[in-house]
Amino acid sequence: MAEELAAAAAALLDGTTSRLGARFVASVHLPWLTGRPHTPAPGTSVLAGVLRRLGENPSLELLDAYVAADARRCAALGSVDPSPQEQERFISSVPAPEAVPAWLVGFDCPAHDAAREELDRLSGRLAAAGGGRLDVEAALSSTRWWPGRREWVGEVTQGPLGLHGLFRSLEERRDLGDWRGPWTAASDLAVKGLGLPSFDPEDWVLAAFRRAPVDRGGLGLG
């Protein structure tokens, strides 16, 4: 499965025609090379939509192959680290950042901004209650995740905010009242999208791509 996914990722990257498109593909796949992803890749329709908005004419066949291989790898038990050769081949194929189109520099997704504000607030409340902080940056810069996604399988059910691990670390506490409120609110936002304005997943993914660090394939625009 690891070899199948590596081949599908390489083919998808080779199929791009611009630095921007290639870096987006990298932002989706690099979590496999730097640590197991929290969620499977978005579906073909979302990936294709984002790539078209970035000026690409994506191959649906290549996207279908990648999404299917990614889902199988996510669902597999255990974890296989990528080989150094695989890492080097893929990373060396990712182009360096270049000038970003003005429309993308100024791109705005109100739901993404609202999630940042609310999750930062809830993270502060959890920390004050002794529960640690949510990994807000990992969630908001992930091109694989958005609030309300349901494609969580196997070991990836923890999610990019770390909510599952946080709950397991706190559930034995006796003073549950201090953290149950913010933990529940963060869970509802992450799992159901509660409290956020409606949004198109493509808009969310574009906002995350802007925000993702350069070394994770993103644009690092914050």
Side-chain angles (χ1 to χ4, degrees):
M1 289 183 187
E3 291 81 0
E4 177 192 20
L5 179 59
L12 195 56
L13 188 62
D14 288 344
T16 58
T17 60
S18 68
R19 287 176 178 262
L20 204 57
R23 290 196 65 79
F24 174 68
V25 169
S27 74
V28 174
H29 185 66
L30 277 173
W32 280 110
L33 305 183
T34 57
R36 188 182 179 95
H38 295 293
T39 61
T44 295
S45 62
V46 173
L47 292 178
V50 173
L51 284 167
R52 290 189 186 105
R53 291 168 71 172
L54 295 175
E56 294 285 332
N57 183 23
S59 163
L60 298 185
E61 182 179 358
L62 291 180
L63 285 171
D64 280 341
Y66 180 79
V67 169
D70 183 89
R72 283 191 288 271
R73 186 69 194 89
C74 282
L77 295 177
S79 178
V80 177
D81 293 331
S83 69
Q85 293 81 8
E86 177 191 339
Q87 291 179 314
E88 183 178 356
R89 278 197 304 270
F90 188 85
I91 292 173
S92 66
S93 299
V94 178
E98 62 176 4
V100 180
W103 73 267
L104 188 52
V105 172
F107 183 79
D108 180 49
C109 176
H112 195 270
D113 294 337
R116 180 193 310 187
E117 181 177 346
E118 179 65 3
L119 290 172
D120 279 340
R121 184 182 72 83
L122 294 173
S123 182
R125 287 181 59 192
L126 282 167
R133 289 190 172 273
L134 301 173
D135 201 346
V136 178
E137 287 304 312
L140 295 181
S141 63
S142 171
T143 53
R144 287 175 164 261
W145 175 85
W146 58 82
R149 280 206 68 183
R150 292 292 186 268
E151 299 88 341
W152 291 8
V153 293
E155 295 181 12
V156 299
T157 53
Q158 177 174 333
L161 284 172
L163 285 168
H164 179 78
L166 178 68
F167 178 75
R168 292 305 176 194
S169 69
L170 296 176
E171 63 183 348
E172 300 301 326
R173 292 178 54 124
R174 295 179 181 177
D175 54 336
L176 304 185
D178 289 341
W179 59 266
R180 185 177 294 280
W183 184 87
T184 300
S187 296
D188 285 342
L189 186 154
V191 177
K192 304 175 184 177
L194 292 186
L196 296 181
S198 61
F199 62 90
D200 185 324
E202 290 180 20
D203 288 341
W204 182 282
V205 172
L206 278 169
F209 178 48
R210 286 183 73 261
R211 188 178 180 87
V214 170
D215 63 0
R216 296 209 332 247
L219 303 179
L221 296 178

